[in-house]
Amino acid sequence: MAQRNDTTTPRRPRSRPWCLCALAVGALAVVTACGADTQRSGPPGSSGAPGGGEPSASSVTRSAAHTGRAAPATSASRPDSSRPVTRPASSAAVAHTTASRPGAQRVCPTERLGLSLGREDVGAGNIYMPLVLTNKSTATCTLTGFPGVSLLDSVGSAIGDPASRRGASRSAVSLPPGGSASAMLHTLNEGTADKPCWRTPARIRAYPPDSSTSMTVPARSFRVCGGVFEVESIHSGKGA
C-alpha cells in the first residue's frame, strides 16, 4: 500500500486589491450623490438651494463686486414688516388735528379783528360805550373773557390807569366771518361824583382776550369822570 503524502503544497491566496478599490470608489460616489441631493432638496431659504430661498451675503457681495452694482439688502438687513413704523408727526399735522377735534376752539387773533365804538348810552349819571370787535377773517373764531382797555392822548401816552373789570366773565362767544361781539365800557357823567374828570383821550387802546397785540380806535367823546373806568366781559352783538 502506497504511503499517502500528507505534505501538500499550500494554496496561493488570491489577490483582491481591485475589489477593495471598486468598493471604495462606489461608496465615495454614493456619499457625493447624497450630499448633492441633500443640497438640492434642502428646505426653502437655505443658502445651498439653487433657486430656492435667498442667496448668501458672500455670494451677493461677490456678484456685486463683479458687476459693479450695489448689493441688494439681504433678509438680515430688511426691516420687520410686521412691526408698525412710527413717524413723528409734524407740527402742521398736530395743529390740524387740534383744530378739527370736537370741542376745539380757535381764538380770534388781533390781526383778524376790527375795532370800533358803538352808540353811547347815557342815563342816571352813568355812561356806557360798547367796544365792538368784528371778525374780518373767513373762518369762525371765539372770544372769551375781558379785553384790556386803556386811554391814550394824542402822542400815544397813557391817561390814567387801565380799565378795571366789571361783573363776571361770560361764556365764550363764537364769531362767524363778519360777526361781532362787544365789551361795554362804563364811566360816570361829569359832576356825578366829587372826583374830577380825566383829560380827554385821543384814542382808546384795546387788547382782545387771549391776545398780546393791541389795536386802537378814536375815542370820540368818551371821557372818564368820577374816578370810574370799567369794562365788562365780551358778549354777543354790538351792544347798545
Side-chain angles (χ1 to χ4, degrees):
M1 183 174 181
Q3 185 177 0
R4 185 177 178 180
N5 188 8
D6 293 331
T7 303
T8 60
T9 305
R11 294 182 181 180
R12 188 176 181 181
R14 296 181 181 180
S15 177
R16 298 180 180 178
W18 62 274
C19 293
L20 296 176
C21 291
L23 290 175
V25 171
L28 182 59
V30 171
V31 172
T32 303
C34 290
D37 292 340
T38 302
Q39 291 183 353
R40 286 193 295 270
S41 60
S46 61
S47 60
E54 298 180 355
S56 65
S58 60
S59 62
V60 172
T61 303
R62 289 194 299 269
S63 176
H66 177 71
T67 59
R69 298 180 180 178
T74 61
S75 59
S77 62
R78 293 178 182 172
D80 187 357
S81 59
S82 63
R83 297 181 181 178
V85 179
T86 304
R87 297 181 174 87
S90 62
S91 58
V94 174
H96 175 74
T97 302
T98 303
S100 61
R101 185 182 304 161
Q105 296 180 348
R106 178 179 298 174
V107 176
C108 296
T110 302
E111 61 272 13
R112 297 185 181 183
L113 292 173
L115 180 65
S116 61
L117 292 178
R119 182 172 59 88
E120 185 181 59
D121 183 19
V122 180
N126 294 287
I127 298 176
Y128 296 94
M129 180 79 77
L131 190 67
V132 182
L133 295 168
T134 302
N135 183 6
K136 301 188 300 180
S137 70
T138 58
T140 299
C141 58
T142 61
L143 290 174
T144 309
F146 296 84
V149 184
S150 58
L151 304 179
L152 303 177
D153 60 19
S154 57
V155 296
S157 299
I159 299 175
D161 296 327
S164 59
R165 295 180 177 183
R166 183 186 189 205
S169 178
R170 298 180 175 91
S171 59
V173 178
S174 179
L175 291 183
S180 296
S182 60
M184 192 68 71
L185 301 179
H186 173 242
T187 188
L188 299 179
N189 201 356
E190 185 175 4
T192 304
D194 295 336
K195 292 184 178 181
C197 296
W198 293 0
R199 291 183 292 130
T200 301
R203 303 186 71 83
I204 297 176
R205 178 174 60 189
Y207 290 87
D210 301 312
S211 178
S212 59
T213 306
S214 66
M215 51 203 314
T216 63
V217 63
R220 294 193 337 215
S221 60
F222 185 81
R223 185 175 61 158
V224 172
C225 294
V228 175
F229 183 30
E230 300 174 324
V231 60
E232 298 179 2
S233 66
I234 294 286
H235 62 278
S236 181
K238 295 183 178 182

